[in-house]
Amino acid sequence: MTTAVLIEQTGAVRRIRLNRPDSRNSINPDLIRALDDAVAAAMRDPGTEAVVIAGNGPSFCAGADLRHLLELARTGGDPLAFLGSVSACFTRLESAPKPVIAAVHGHVVAGGLELALACDAVVARAGTLIGDGHIRNSLLPGAGSSVRLPRKVGDPLARRLMLTGELLPAEHFLPSGFVQAVAGPGDFEATVTAVADSFTGLPPGCHGRMKHLLADPGVPDALLRELDVFAEHWRERDIAAELTRFFDQRAVR
């Protein structure tokens, strides 16, 4: 059985690698539980001062596992338990008492973007494409895009990404500061290490209090509203037909 995440420790930095490469690290219940547990373990470890979240395979994360959502839609299942667990995991990640860096490559889409948005810093490999993408599959965000994206990149760009589903090169996000560095393949790992190391060697306990000061008090209510709107959209649309059409179109390419 494949381990959903892989853990590596180098000095004071712990790397958590999403490990569903065949599905571009799409998020299913097993992956989100494993990620949640791995982050919690890193926060408890006194020898870990910063965490890097990365992905194995061709992409960082392509979002929620659409086959899981399709099965829920076909069987009349309620997606909110799953999406609520993803949203809660990312909220815990955002408020974690140690810095978290997303090391992204390939595609950072939908839930993958929402994961990166919950991190304190993002380092991208050149060629990475980033976007919300939900609208292309007749879906809405359920784990933070509508809440965190405008705060991280500004309202105009957030509207463009969410209302078109467009994916943009990582370099496009440098001016906003959402992406802090873009590096070529040969320099990517060294750049990630340098950014992660910049958060280490500081007085213990200060990061958690500083992140508490930086937290936006309006986020919790906004995240609940996001899930409410997702539920309304799910009830009113034939999501099973929409997702089936997506998989059928992909099969003939």
Side-chain angles (χ1 to χ4, degrees):
M1 187 175 186
T2 302
T3 303
V5 301
L6 302 175
I7 310 296
E8 308 162 16
Q9 186 83 22
T10 304
V13 177
R14 180 166 300 189
R15 281 173 170 76
I16 301 172
R17 292 190 180 274
L18 311 182
N19 190 39
R20 299 189 72 218
D22 292 344
S23 66
R24 295 182 180 268
N25 296 314
S26 62
I27 301 167
N28 67 0
D30 288 340
L31 178 60
I32 204 64
R33 280 193 297 268
L35 176 60
D36 211 5
D37 290 346
V39 170
M43 296 304 141
R44 292 192 301 267
D45 177 28
T48 297
E49 298 179 32
V51 172
V52 172
I53 297 179
N56 275 345
S59 289
F60 172 70
C61 178
D65 188 334
L66 295 182
R67 294 193 183 280
H68 178 63
L69 292 180
L70 176 58
E71 180 64 21
L72 289 173
R74 283 175 170 169
T75 60
D78 184 356
L80 287 188
F82 167 58
L83 290 173
S85 71
V86 178
S87 184
C89 173
F90 293 171
T91 296
R92 285 188 285 271
L93 184 66
E94 184 177 46
S95 61
K98 299 174 184 179
V100 182
I101 300 93
V104 304
H105 72 289
H107 290 83
V108 185
V109 185
L113 172 61
E114 291 172 316
L115 172 54
L117 286 167
C119 295
D120 299 298
V122 177
V123 179
R125 192 167 73 190
T128 300
L129 295 174
I130 300 174
D132 181 70
H134 285 100
I135 201 167
R136 294 193 173 193
N137 292 313
S138 192
L139 294 171
L140 298 182
S145 276
S146 70
V147 179
R148 297 186 179 99
L149 189 58
R151 290 163 168 81
K152 292 288 182 83
V153 306
D155 186 74
L157 180 55
R159 286 176 180 270
R160 174 182 173 183
L161 292 169
M162 295 186 68
L163 295 175
T164 67
E166 185 178 8
L167 307 183
L168 298 176
E171 289 83 356
H172 203 93
F173 298 88
L174 287 169
S176 68
F178 169 53
V179 173
Q180 295 195 358
V182 177
D187 299 320
F188 178 59
E189 289 299 332
T191 302
V192 172
T193 297
V195 171
D197 286 346
S198 72
F199 289 100
T200 65
L202 298 166
C206 291
H207 279 134
R209 291 187 176 91
M210 194 68 76
K211 289 180 67 171
H212 179 71
L213 290 174
L214 291 168
D216 186 331
V219 165
D221 287 342
L223 290 171
L224 290 175
R225 177 176 176 271
E226 183 182 68
L227 285 171
D228 286 343
V229 176
F230 179 97
E232 180 182 349
H233 180 78
W234 182 276
R235 289 193 299 269
E236 292 179 355
R237 301 283 298 185
D238 188 348
I239 300 297
E242 299 282 359
L243 292 179
T244 299
R245 187 178 302 113
F246 165 77
F247 285 115
D248 288 346
Q249 289 172 347
R250 194 170 69 170
V252 299
R253 287 176 187 168

